[in-house]
Amino acid sequence: MDEFSGKVAVVTGGGSGIGEACATLLAERGAKVLVADVQAEAARRVADGIGDAARPHTVDVTDPAACEAMVRE
């Protein structure tokens, strides 16, 4: 399925659980995914598992400046 082809998704909490499942499904459906998590290794593991359609990003979503930097990426 390519219903999200040409789209970019930012998935916070993407390093595990529901966030991981959402990031994986979005990539399967054609989106490029920024896997964002406060735990760098978790984000990297999920992004690596997804492949070329994903990139990891370490972020603390309670920090507004960090969220702005994440969106710029």
Side-chain angles (χ1 to χ4, degrees), residues 2 7 10-12 14 16-18 21 23 25 31 36 43 46 55-57 59 61 63-65 72:
D2 288 333
K7 304 289 184 182
V10 176
V11 180
T12 60
S16 65
I18 293 171
L25 184 60
V46 172
R55 290 179 48 190
H57 187 83
V59 64
V61 296
D63 178 355
R72 280 193 302 273

Side-chain angles (χ1 to χ4, degrees), residues 46-60:
V46 172
D48 287 349
I50 291 171
D52 291 340
R55 290 179 48 190
H57 187 83
T58 306
V59 64
D60 177 354

Side-chain angles (χ1 to χ4, degrees), residues 23-71:
T24 301
L25 184 60
L26 285 161
E28 287 172 356
R29 294 193 176 178
K32 299 289 185 183
V33 181
L34 186 67
V35 180
D37 202 282
V38 71
Q39 297 181 3
E41 183 54 39
R44 189 174 310 108
R45 177 188 58 78
V46 172
D48 287 349
I50 291 171
D52 291 340
R55 290 179 48 190
H57 187 83
T58 306
V59 64
D60 177 354
V61 296
T62 66
D63 178 355
C67 290
E68 288 178 18
M70 174 182 64
V71 171

